[in-house]
């Protein structure tokens, strides 16, 4: 079966207050060496898993748009033999990428772009410590369209201390006036190892506002996963269907044959040895848990036959309660937002 490819770019221009991703602002001098490390890991993994072709690619970060086009020219030369007739290549970008960069990345074969906009309110952008402005984001998204991108996503963050109906309404008004066909909307998480670690005052606990926001997005774009709306990203659907994927780059994660594998987070160490992995074995019970959880968070659903009889009985109760629906031996949730509670109940 064809596999997916994830490539991690661990560089950013600035560090956002909420962000726990494996990304660094002071390692720009490693960018050249980083390519050679990626090349080494890629060639190793391709051979190890006998890969001939990828179904989709996702270049994420960090901030892939901090890398010069010369990096991607080399990268595409490397992956070219494995991407004939590929369905989708996504790249993440900060909403301050230049028109030239967008045009060139499109010409290399990237056909989906995802901008970390977060908000169109300048005060909120400052609060999050983003290094772009609202007008810059608007211009960059219009430029992506001019550069011929047909699949454009923007990420929004909600449930921050500054949010209210007016602010979020305005964010959506601007978002929907732009040439996008996808929104990822993330409820702010207070993460460890971030500037906002343990500072819950940065979050607004207002369930009603959160539900209202989701419902507003749903008026325009179909919700196909808890945080995702619009024309589905094929790569992400692949993760939720439990397809196998390679994870290339510092701190990338891969999943092949019941094993999840991790490369080294530290960029210096990764460059020294990009083929040092840690493996995590997932037994059938772990896989079942993930299938139920990921399936109920999205339109993917899960196959009822992976459950034992007791679990099937609990599914029947939830179907009677109109929380779940059964279609051709597959189980789907009506409400992705309560997937955690539903899967905990089914699997106890
Ligand atoms: C790797 S970043 C996207 C690309 C690029 N680095 C950028 O931010 O423009 C992935 C997305 O995750 C979301 N995100 C990161 N940390 C988060 C947090 N603590 N809570 C909610 N969303 C978060 C943001 O919306 C961000 O755009
Ligand atoms: S949200 Fe994006 S730009 Fe901000 S620090 Fe994280 S990866 Fe970098």
């Amino acid at each position: 079966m064809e596999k997916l490819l994830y490539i991690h770019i661990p560089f950013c221009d600035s560090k956002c207050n909420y962000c726990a991703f494996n990304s660094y602002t002071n390692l720009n001098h490693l960018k050249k060496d980083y390519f050679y490390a990626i090349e080494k890991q890629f060639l190793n993994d391709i051979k190890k898993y006998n890969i001939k072709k990828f179904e989709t690619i996702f270049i994420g970060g960090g901030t892939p748009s901090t890398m010069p086009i010369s990096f991607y020219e080399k990268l595409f030369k490397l992956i070219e033999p494995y991407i004939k007739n590929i369905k989708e290549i996504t790249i993440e970008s900060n909403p301050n990428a230049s028109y030239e960069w967008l045009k060139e990345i499109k010409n290399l074969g990237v056909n989906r772009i995802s901008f970390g906009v977060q908000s169109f309110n300048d005060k909120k952008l400052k609060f999050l410590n983003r290094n772009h402005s609202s007008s810059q984001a608007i211009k960059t998204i219009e430029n992506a369209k001019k550069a011929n991108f047909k699949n454009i996503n923007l990420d929004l963050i909600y449930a921050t201390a500054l949010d209210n109906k007016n602010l979020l309404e305005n964010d959506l008004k601007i978002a929907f006036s732009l040439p996008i066909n996808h929104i990822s909307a993330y409820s702010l998480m207070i993460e460890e190892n971030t500037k906002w670690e343990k500072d819950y005052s940065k979050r607004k606990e207002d369930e009603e506002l959160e539900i209202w926001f989701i419902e507003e997005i749903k008026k325009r774009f179909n919700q196909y996963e808890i945080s995702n709306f619009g024309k589905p990203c094929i790569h992400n659907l692949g993760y939720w269907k439990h397809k196998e994927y390679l994870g290339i780059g510092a701190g990338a994660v891969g999943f092949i044959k019941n094993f999840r594998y991790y490369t080294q987070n530290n960029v210096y160490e990764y460059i020294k040895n990009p083929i040092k992995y840690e493996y995590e074995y997932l037994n059938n019970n772990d896989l079942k848990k993930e299938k139920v959880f990921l399936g109920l968070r999205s339109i993917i659903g899960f196959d009822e036959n992976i459950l034992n009889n007791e679990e099937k009985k609990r599914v029947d109760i939830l179907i009677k309660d109109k929380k779940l629906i059964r279609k051709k031996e597959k189980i789907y949730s009506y409400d992705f937002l309560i997937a955690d509670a539903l899967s905990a109940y089914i699997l106890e």
Side-chain angles (χ1 to χ4, degrees):
M1 202 167 48
E2 281 171 19
K3 297 180 180 23
L4 322 177
L5 171 63
Y6 174 77
I7 300 174
H8 190 77
I9 306 295
F11 307 102
C12 283
D13 286 334
S14 64
K15 190 77 190 175
C16 306
N17 291 334
Y18 53 84
C19 181
F21 281 77
N22 193 38
S23 70
Y24 306 89
T25 54
N26 56 353
L27 298 181
N28 288 346
H29 56 288
L30 296 180
K31 283 183 179 174
K32 261 217 178 87
D33 291 341
Y34 193 66
F35 176 77
Y36 298 106
I38 279 191
E39 183 180 43
K40 184 167 177 193
Q41 192 203 340
F42 181 79
L43 294 174
N44 177 74
D45 287 9
I46 287 284
K47 203 165 151 206
K48 184 169 167 188
Y49 300 115
N50 190 23
I51 292 172
K52 304 271 180 277
K53 196 170 174 287
F54 289 105
E55 185 182 339
T56 55
I57 298 179
F58 196 102
I59 306 170
T63 309
S65 57
T66 57
M67 297 303 258
I69 285 297
S70 54
F71 171 86
Y72 292 106
E73 284 168 347
K74 285 191 272 183
L75 182 67
F76 274 78
K77 232 181 228 145
L78 177 68
I79 62 177
E80 199 187 298
Y82 310 95
I83 62 173
K84 290 206 181 79
N85 301 321
I86 193 160
K87 290 183 191 155
E88 182 189 87
I89 303 180
T90 301
I91 197 162
E92 287 184 332
S93 169
N94 259 16
N96 55 9
S98 73
Y99 178 55
E100 278 64 39
W101 189 90
L102 294 168
K103 242 183 6 192
E104 289 177 40
I105 206 77
K106 175 78 181 57
N107 286 341
L108 282 173
V110 173
N111 59 8
R112 187 172 183 276
I113 190 155
S114 172
F115 291 108
V117 170
Q118 323 310 347
S119 173
F120 291 101
N121 179 295
D122 282 328
K123 217 170 129 194
K124 179 165 162 186
L125 290 173
K126 271 223 170 79
F127 174 68
L128 299 170
N129 199 35
R130 296 294 308 193
N131 71 344
H132 68 270
S133 66
S134 165
S135 56
Q136 232 176 353
I138 293 170
K139 186 89 208 135
T140 307
I141 292 164
E142 283 167 349
N143 278 344
K145 175 76 183 167
K146 265 195 227 152
N148 230 354
F149 274 102
K150 294 187 180 58
N151 296 310
I152 305 178
N153 167 59
L154 54 86
D155 291 341
L156 297 176
I157 288 189
Y158 64 99
T160 78
L162 298 195
D163 289 350
N164 55 46
K165 244 187 199 180
N166 266 347
L167 190 154
L168 293 175
E169 202 161 32
N170 198 48
D171 274 351
L172 288 186
K173 199 171 130 202
I174 299 176
F176 286 125
S177 73
L178 294 169
I180 60 167
N181 63 358
H182 193 283
I183 286 183
S184 298
Y186 299 110
S187 176
L188 175 69
M189 291 194 301
I190 300 298
E191 306 262 29
E192 280 177 20
N193 301 319
T194 66
K195 183 123 187 271
W196 285 354
E197 173 168 357
K198 296 200 173 69
D199 185 356
Y200 292 93
S201 71
K202 300 296 189 285
R203 223 190 101 81
K204 179 174 247 171
E205 295 302 338
D206 185 342
E207 206 183 334
E208 214 173 285
L209 185 66
E210 294 201 29
I211 292 172
W212 170 83
F213 186 57
I214 299 291
E215 291 302 319
E216 285 301 298
I217 305 174
K218 278 164 73 176
K219 282 183 187 163
R220 298 289 294 268
F221 283 168
N222 183 40
Q223 184 181 27
Y224 68 99
E225 196 257 356
I226 192 162
S227 309
N228 288 288
F229 307 78
K231 184 183 169 194
C233 169
I234 308 171
H235 185 87
N236 284 339
L237 285 179
Y239 286 151
W240 306 327
K241 286 181 186 163
H242 255 220
K243 290 192 174 176
E244 294 184 317
Y245 51 92
L246 285 193
I248 303 287
V253 182
F255 173 63
I256 309 261
K257 290 198 181 95
N258 282 36
F259 280 96
R260 193 153 284 144
Y261 68 87
Y262 303 84
T263 59
Q264 304 191 81
N265 275 334
N266 182 301
V267 187
Y268 285 103
E269 295 302 322
Y270 175 78
I271 287 172
K272 263 195 236 156
N273 187 0
I275 52 174
K276 183 174 173 192
Y277 309 97
E278 269 179 32
Y279 294 93
E280 176 193 8
Y281 176 70
L282 300 171
N283 63 31
N284 285 344
N285 205 35
D286 299 329
L287 289 174
K288 175 161 89 179
K289 268 189 197 154
E290 285 196 5
K291 280 183 181 159
V292 171
F293 175 65
L294 295 175
L296 292 183
R297 280 165 72 103
S298 69
I299 52 167
I300 301 292
F302 68 88
D303 184 344
E304 191 175 18
N305 296 320
I306 63 173
L307 301 181
N308 64 33
N309 286 341
E310 288 306 307
E311 291 159 349
K312 281 183 185 163
K313 276 186 201 154
R314 289 193 285 272
V315 164
D316 284 336
I317 295 173
L318 292 173
I319 290 175
K320 270 203 195 109
D321 252 14
K322 301 237 172 330
K323 298 274 190 292
L324 298 180
I325 179 167
R326 177 186 286 117
K327 279 187 209 157
K328 293 186 187 157
E329 296 196 359
K330 281 195 85 175
I331 305 296
Y332 302 89
S333 169
Y334 282 107
D335 182 356
F336 306 149
L337 296 176
I338 55 169
D340 294 21
L342 295 178
S343 36
Y345 175 76
I346 295 168
L347 302 171
E348 293 221 310

